[in-house]
Amino acid sequence: MNIPNLLTVARFCLVPVVVYMIGQGQWTLAFAVFVIAGLTDAVDGFIARKFDQRTVLGAYLDPLADKALLVSIYVTLAVGGVIPSWLAILVVSRDVMILGAVMVSWLLDNPVEINPLYVSKANTFAQIAFAAVALGSNAFNIELGRGLMVLALVTGALTVVSTGAYLGLWFRHMAANDA
């Protein structure tokens, strides 16, 4: 266990904290915890690269911590009526579909290597930015009106495109290696 992995585990531990804060309407604290979680992500990645502390465990834990944080926040915000439920459904469904595809390929002894795509990086950025804006607007009483809906639509579109890109790669992989 190294420092980057410990920071990733800390990010996992922040997930129930931020969910609780949102559920209690403690928006400023929820926003602060979300920012801290984001900082741990940036710092663990920097340390891992800069000091060559990348590990196989970290390669699995880091994206799982990111997904746990984002999915939990999206579901909690949607249940609380802060964001549109369709967006939370898209975000959760994308991750479930990708995880399911990877698991099926492993079960069929035809593992697929998942590498981040440009559209996936754009999607992750949009999801993080949207969550930060939704939390921040509540924390600081900023009325965004249609601006929040525009951001939701952009995030939703990127989520759909990213899902399609990954599933397309998976289908091609499975068809090319079908015995």
Side-chain angles (χ1 to χ4, degrees), residues 13 26 50 58 62 64 81 85 116 149 177:
C13 294
Q26 296 177 355
K50 177 78 172 170
D62 188 65
L64 287 175
S85 58
M149 185 51 73
N177 296 302

Side-chain angles (χ1 to χ4, degrees), residues 41-167:
D41 189 25
V43 171
D44 78 45
F46 172 78
I47 292 171
R49 286 185 301 278
K50 177 78 172 170
F51 299 103
D52 196 28
Q53 291 191 7
R54 288 173 269 199
T55 64
V56 173
L57 178 62
Y60 285 102
L61 287 182
D62 188 65
L64 287 175
D66 294 343
K67 292 303 167 190
L69 180 65
L70 283 174
V71 164
S72 297
I73 286 174
Y74 272 75
V75 169
T76 306
L77 290 173
V79 167
V82 176
I83 67 169
S85 58
W86 60 262
L87 183 57
I89 291 166
L90 283 178
V91 168
V92 172
S93 296
R94 174 194 178 270
D95 291 339
V96 168
M97 281 188 259
I98 292 171
L99 181 60
V102 169
M103 290 174 61
V104 166
S105 69
W106 283 349
L107 290 172
L108 294 176
D109 200 28
N110 188 10
V112 61
E113 187 177 326
I114 300 289
N115 294 311
L117 304 172
Y118 175 74
V119 68
S120 173
K121 290 180 181 193
N123 176 58
T124 299
F125 175 80
Q127 288 181 1
I128 291 168
F130 182 79
V133 167
L135 289 170
S137 68
N138 280 286
F140 303 108
N141 293 319
I142 299 169
E143 180 59 43
L144 297 175
R146 292 186 184 189
L148 192 64
M149 185 51 73
V150 169
L151 290 173
L153 291 170
V154 169
T155 302
L158 283 168
T159 301
V160 169
V161 171
S162 176
T163 304
Y166 275 124
L167 291 180

